């Protein structure tokens, strides 16, 4: 199990922000950090990898302490068993695809893993090419394979697919899922692509201004809050007319006049001049007074 | 014609460039990545020879190395080094004088690399030294070549510093640029011509080679 608790003051474009994260990752879990840019997602990954120092905090990975500011333990990136896939891939341009993977080998490590990974992400034909001659998706596969050479305990993916087109994204998501299952990895993904998160992750943590505000399965996070009110406008009631068994409420929204069918129970405390919210839940519009 | 000054010039340039390469890489690395507060001061000092008249540099070195003061005396007494009017003195002066020509290309080469190169290498468990030699330096080959050649060529072209600190001792400090001045003063225009033409042709060829190689390299890798 991986446990982390981090505090760090980040200097952002909008002034200082306190990053305050508590996370628990079960072995084999696929976790996503979701949030706007500048919410502290990448900083969290960088602290976990040892590339960025935390002001205070603790990271324990399968009973090994990686960071503990109280006892001044802080393992270097070299000593932490992490795989990291950068947004810009960070492939070494002076080496071929194969050499990039071989560079990652530990001293005395059996190099059969190179062959295995090249097969896994289907790079066989490209293995003697230089990274600059490959497409974005191919480079991303190299970066993914290289991150796995040392058999890391955690795989960190920092918006790895953000610069790819949709078709390539979907293909790469399949590769990520495949290696995640094959190597029984614990994977931490940073992403703001809802479709991608729904497809890949077991758990989502929503990061807002340096803090985790909500956690749950992707379905819980993205359907309960975001899809319930797909369209939502506020406007002013200009007329309420009875019509057979229902009422027609005329609402001025911006410069548009909108007519909405409402039941008696809905109009009971509405009068002309009220500010109301009109929202659409799948099919039927809902009208609600704004207090 | 006496070949001595030309040979001395190239010997000086070669030794200076070798020393600069060894000193320049760590210095450029530090300047490229450090966030230290004294960095601007060091950067300024490294770049000073670009704008300072060579005679000013030569004059201060002459004063500093003179056995008549404490530092020069200490060098003389403890290390047995007489740096004025000697080849060793010329080497030290040239190293200082050509320092920016080695450091600046390497520094901007390193700063221009994707910032994640270093971090990716560290995460793959590689030490800082391995990262420098296997990742960073191989990826800035054009900058290294530029630094080496500019330092070499700049040392060949040196005049003021050499004159101030080395004087004009045949076989010891009389380099080609000094020899040309000497011959012109003695109205030996033919000899001055020969020296000048040789320097002109050699420096032109060196620089042309660099630009050709770097041009091809840049085209090949599209950066």
């Amino acid at each position: 199990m991986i446990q982390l608790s981090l505090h760090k003051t980040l200097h952002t474009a909008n002034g200082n922000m306190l990053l305050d994260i508590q996370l628990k990752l079960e072995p084999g879990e696929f976790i996503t950090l979701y949030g706007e840019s500048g919410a502290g997602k990448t900083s969290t990954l960088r602290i976990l990898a040892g590339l960025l120092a935390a002001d205070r905090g603790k990271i324990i990975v399968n009973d090994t302490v990686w960071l503990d500011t109280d006892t001044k333990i802080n393992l270097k990136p070299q000593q932490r068993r992490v795989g990291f896939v950068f947004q810009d891939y960070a492939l070494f341009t002076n080496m071929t695809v194969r050499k990039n993977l071989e560079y990652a080998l530990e001293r005395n490590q059996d190099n059969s893993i190179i062959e295995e990974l090249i097969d896994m992400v289907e790079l066989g034909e490209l293995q003697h090419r230089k990274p600059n001659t490959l497409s974005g998706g191919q480079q991303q596969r190299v970066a993914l394979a290289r991150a796995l050479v040392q058999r890391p305990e955690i795989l960190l993916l920092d918006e790895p697919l953000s610069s790819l087109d949709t078709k390539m994204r979907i293909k790469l998501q399949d590769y990520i899922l495949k290696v995640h299952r094959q190597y029984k990895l614990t994977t931490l993904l940073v992403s703001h692509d809802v479709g991608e998160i729904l497809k890949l992750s077991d758990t989502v943590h929503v990061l807002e201004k340096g803090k985790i505000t909500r956690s749950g399965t992707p379905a819980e996070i993205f359907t309960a809050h975001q899809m319930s009110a797909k369209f939502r406008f506020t406007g002013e009631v200009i007329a309420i007319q009875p019509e057979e068994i229902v009422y027609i409420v005329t609402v001025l929204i911006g410069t548009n006049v909108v007519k909405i069918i409402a039941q008696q129970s809905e109009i009971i405390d509405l009068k002309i001049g009220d500010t109301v919210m009109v929202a659409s839940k799948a099919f039927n519009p809902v009208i609600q007074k704004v207090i | 014609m006496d070949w001595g000054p030309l040979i001395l010039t190239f010997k000086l340039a070669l030794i200076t460039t070798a020393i600069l390469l060894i000193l320049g890489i760590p210095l450029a690395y530090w300047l490229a990545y450090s966030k230290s507060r004294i960095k601007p001061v060091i950067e300024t000092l490294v770049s000073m020879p670009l704008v300072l008249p060579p005679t000013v540099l030569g004059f201060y070195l002459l004063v500093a190395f003179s056995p008549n003061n404490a530092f020069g005396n200490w060098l003389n007494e403890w290390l047995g080094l007489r740096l004025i009017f000697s080849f060793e003195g010329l080497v030290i002066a040239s190293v200082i004088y050509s320092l920016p020509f080695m450091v600046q290309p390497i520094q901007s080469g390193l700063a221009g690399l994707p910032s994640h190169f270093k971090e990716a290498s560290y995460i793959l468990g590689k030490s800082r030294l391995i990262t420098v030699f296997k990742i960073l330096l191989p990826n800035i080959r054009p900058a290294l070549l530029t630094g080496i050649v500019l330092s070499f060529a700049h040392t060949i072209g040196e005049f003021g510093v050499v004159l101030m600190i080395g004087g004009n001792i045949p076989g010891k400090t009389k380099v080609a640029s000094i020899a040309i001045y000497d011959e012109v003063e003695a109205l030996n225009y033919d000899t001055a011509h020969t020296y000048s033409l040789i320097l002109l042709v050699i420096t032109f060829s060196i620089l042309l080679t660099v630009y050709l190689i770097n041009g091809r390299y840049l085209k090949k890798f599209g950066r």
Side-chain angles (χ1 to χ4, degrees), chain A residues 46 49 51 77-78 80 82-84 86-88 90-95 103-106 130 132 146-147 150, chain B residues 114-128 130-131 134-135 138-139 141 217 220-223:
Chain A
R46 291 174 59 81
L51 297 172
Q78 284 94 335
R80 302 186 183 197
V82 292
F84 201 118
F86 291 90
Q87 205 170 350
D88 63 1
L91 296 177
F92 306 132
T93 38
N94 58 319
M95 302 174 179
Y103 180 76
L105 284 171
E106 286 172 283
K130 291 267 176 79
N132 286 5
R146 190 182 66 183
Q150 295 198 346
Chain B
S115 62
H116 291 148
F117 269 23
K118 225 167 41 133
E119 296 177 346
S121 177
Y122 291 170
I123 285 178
L124 295 172
K126 304 299 179 254
S127 67
R128 190 185 292 204
I130 288 180
T131 305
K134 294 221 165 147
I135 306 295
N139 275 300
R141 260 178 235 147
Y217 187 89
K220 198 168 146 198
F221 290 98
R223 276 199 283 128

